Amino acid sequence: MTQAPSHVQTFPGQSPPLRRLLQATASAVQATRQGRSLTAQLESVPHELRPGVQALSFQALRQLGRATALRELLAAKTPPPAVDALLCTALALCWNDADAPYPIHTLVNQAVEAARKQRQTQAQSGFINACLRRFMREHDTLVRQTDTDPQSQWNHPRWWVERLQTDHPQHWQQLLTLAQKPAPMTLRVNTRFHTVGAYQQQLVAMGVAAQAVGSQGLQLTKALPVHLLPGFSEGHVSVQDAAAQVAAPLLMQGMDATKSWKILDACAAPGGKTGHLLELYPQAHVLALDVDESRCERIHQNLQRLALSAEVRAADAGHPAQWWDGNPFDAILLDAPCTASGIVRRHPDVRWLRRPTDSGQLAKTQAALLKALWPLLVPGGRLLYCTCSVFKAEGDETVQAFLQRNTDALLHLSPGHLIPGQAPIGLPVEHNPLGEHDGFYYALLEKRQG
């Protein structure tokens, strides 16, 4: 076996066998197909396997459309789930020689060995061997046969491709192409401790280049473990995508930072935007809600690291009677539940977890949250509605429907849908000239007075 490339982490002298990595990666693919998130699945992977399995799982899920199409050519009948997952994992990793993490023959040999060593696949290890050997013999022909299949070509479900073609006719190909590439690591500098330039120089001294994005962001040229970031444990910096860094300054633009504004972060976990609000407005009283008690603990941990304080409560933002004290808010941040279609670069399992009806169902939830929270806003107050989705049903369409029903709502200058790879437009705050950000939607609404 040749040495693994840099994106597959190994440990000299104690590298786990590739067959074990492939077994665990195939289990992650199978779990995703059965509706389990990759994040949850990776938590069950033994610690010594986890770095390699994460790298291989990301690659396998990014190429699962092509792999599934190839498997359909190699086997007319769908194999049992564990067998199909291992076969498709091997095909995903080796169909494109230029991107293969190991030599093709090594991947094939180890996939067959993985099948033989696992009870769920042992009986069909010969079948897996036959399919993969045929693939090696007929590689070019089989790949050409799958080139015209949209799901194979773009490695997203067909319905997803069609929806992007409808929603973003100018940018759909760019969205799908960028979804296949790893996202950059972007930091938010806590300007209570450092200017962005000063922190950038600390990184340069470590040999890490970074470019400024927005008013507080630094995009790294290479990712670093957070414990290596200067001052991370003391709250000097946080990891947050450039698109997410827009929320706090957009909501609070022009508001006096010395006043004790009452702010609601309605769907706050894991607390990145809560922390950003308090960094900019340390006198504010922030109520951070999340429906999940365990996710509220993440908010507490983030705030503790930043040495900031907010009222954190496990509650459903859509039912204010259960938690609201009757005093209106000056500002509300509603980062609403969505399909997460804008963050597939970071979570390649999302495309395979979602179903065509999810956007419509989530749009109903988003509309219900807007309806429930709007009465809690003081006249003249602001509500920032955002989602990490690129689907218009969860962005423009939701907001336009809300505006039609609420004549006291005024839409301020807002970026709307932020498209990965495109420098933002319509931002009344400092923007990100690199255009390297997740897909997001923003609409800033003000409640008319009188």
Side-chain angles (χ1 to χ4, degrees), residues 302-448:
N302 274 314
L303 292 176
Q304 184 177 19
R305 183 181 63 83
L306 294 168
L308 295 170
S309 178
E311 181 182 357
V312 180
R313 193 178 300 179
D316 186 343
H319 295 90
Q322 299 174 5
W323 51 264
W324 186 41
D325 63 6
N327 295 312
F329 295 94
D330 299 297
I332 297 175
L333 173 58
L334 173 55
D335 188 357
C338 69
T339 56
S341 59
I343 57 173
V344 285
R345 294 191 303 175
R346 302 181 189 279
H347 300 279
D349 54 327
V350 164
R351 69 192 80 178
W352 308 116
L353 292 171
R354 297 292 175 246
R355 298 294 177 263
T357 55
D358 287 351
S359 265
Q361 292 171 350
L362 284 161
K364 293 178 182 177
T365 299
Q366 294 153 5
L369 283 167
L370 279 167
K371 181 179 180 181
L373 296 177
W374 189 247
L376 280 56
L377 196 62
V378 67
R382 304 166 179 176
L383 184 151
L384 180 63
Y385 171 82
C386 58
T387 65
C388 55
S389 177
V390 292
F391 296 147
K392 289 199 171 181
E394 303 168 68
D396 282 341
E397 293 175 12
T398 294
V399 168
Q400 291 304 318
F402 175 81
L403 290 169
Q404 289 178 9
R405 292 191 299 266
N406 295 270
T407 57
D408 60 342
L410 172 67
L411 177 63
H412 277 274
L413 180 65
S414 303
H417 284 283
L418 296 180
I419 305 298
Q422 295 286 317
I425 58 174
L427 275 179
V429 295
E430 189 173 344
H431 71 286
N432 168 18
L434 302 179
E436 266 288 7
H437 50 72
D438 292 338
F440 245 80
Y441 176 82
Y442 282 108
L444 181 62
L445 303 166
E446 180 180 326
K447 181 177 281 189
R448 300 178 193 269

Side-chain angles (χ1 to χ4, degrees), residues 109-431:
N109 290 339
Q110 289 295 296
V112 174
E113 186 67 13
R116 289 174 179 155
K117 297 287 187 179
Q118 188 169 251
R119 179 179 56 81
Q120 301 98 311
T121 54
Q122 192 173 50
Q124 291 195 279
S125 60
F127 164 77
I128 290 175
N129 183 52
C131 287
L132 292 176
R133 300 297 172 186
R134 179 189 164 198
F135 170 72
M136 291 177 72
R137 291 193 307 271
E138 304 176 23
H139 174 277
D140 293 350
T141 299
L142 291 168
V143 168
R144 275 197 303 270
Q145 285 181 259
T146 61
D147 279 342
T148 56
D149 177 5
Q151 181 165 305
S152 172
Q153 181 184 4
W154 297 107
N155 284 292
H156 285 71
R158 291 178 184 86
W159 68 265
W160 189 301
V161 176
E162 292 167 358
R163 186 161 301 174
L164 290 183
Q165 289 172 331
T166 299
D167 285 357
H168 303 285
Q170 303 299 316
H171 302 298
W172 68 273
Q173 291 177 309
Q174 182 178 23
L175 284 164
L176 292 167
T177 299
L178 287 178
Q180 296 298 90
K181 298 178 180 179
M185 184 175 187
T186 304
L187 309 180
R188 185 187 77 237
V189 178
N190 188 340
T191 50
R192 294 186 301 156
F193 297 102
H194 308 276
T195 65
V196 172
Y199 194 85
Q200 187 176 20
Q201 288 307 307
Q202 290 190 48
L203 294 174
V204 170
M206 297 171 56
V208 179
Q211 293 178 280
V213 291
S215 59
Q216 289 177 258
L218 285 172
Q219 181 181 306
L220 307 188
T221 55
K222 64 177 181 180
L224 286 179
V226 293
H227 70 271
L228 295 181
L229 294 171
F232 179 81
S233 61
E234 293 81 22
H236 294 195
V237 68
S238 299
V239 179
Q240 188 179 43
D241 182 76
Q245 291 188 40
V246 170
L250 181 60
L251 173 62
M252 304 299 290
Q253 57 178 303
M255 297 177 72
D256 188 343
T258 65
K259 291 188 176 180
S260 56
W261 303 105
K262 186 178 181 184
I263 305 172
L264 171 65
D265 190 349
C267 303
K273 298 181 184 67
T274 308
H276 197 184
L277 283 166
L278 287 165
E279 286 175 10
L280 296 176
Y281 290 81
Q283 305 304 317
H285 174 76
V286 176
L287 172 60
L289 300 181
D290 198 90
V291 71
D292 187 324
E293 185 79 50
S294 63
R295 285 169 58 81
C296 284
E297 183 56 33
R298 292 281 308 279
I299 304 173
H300 280 296
Q301 291 170 359
N302 274 314
L303 292 176
Q304 184 177 19
R305 183 181 63 83
L306 294 168
L308 295 170
S309 178
E311 181 182 357
V312 180
R313 193 178 300 179
D316 186 343
H319 295 90
Q322 299 174 5
W323 51 264
W324 186 41
D325 63 6
N327 295 312
F329 295 94
D330 299 297
I332 297 175
L333 173 58
L334 173 55
D335 188 357
C338 69
T339 56
S341 59
I343 57 173
V344 285
R345 294 191 303 175
R346 302 181 189 279
H347 300 279
D349 54 327
V350 164
R351 69 192 80 178
W352 308 116
L353 292 171
R354 297 292 175 246
R355 298 294 177 263
T357 55
D358 287 351
S359 265
Q361 292 171 350
L362 284 161
K364 293 178 182 177
T365 299
Q366 294 153 5
L369 283 167
L370 279 167
K371 181 179 180 181
L373 296 177
W374 189 247
L376 280 56
L377 196 62
V378 67
R382 304 166 179 176
L383 184 151
L384 180 63
Y385 171 82
C386 58
T387 65
C388 55
S389 177
V390 292
F391 296 147
K392 289 199 171 181
E394 303 168 68
D396 282 341
E397 293 175 12
T398 294
V399 168
Q400 291 304 318
F402 175 81
L403 290 169
Q404 289 178 9
R405 292 191 299 266
N406 295 270
T407 57
D408 60 342
L410 172 67
L411 177 63
H412 277 274
L413 180 65
S414 303
H417 284 283
L418 296 180
I419 305 298
Q422 295 286 317
I425 58 174
L427 275 179
V429 295
E430 189 173 344
H431 71 286

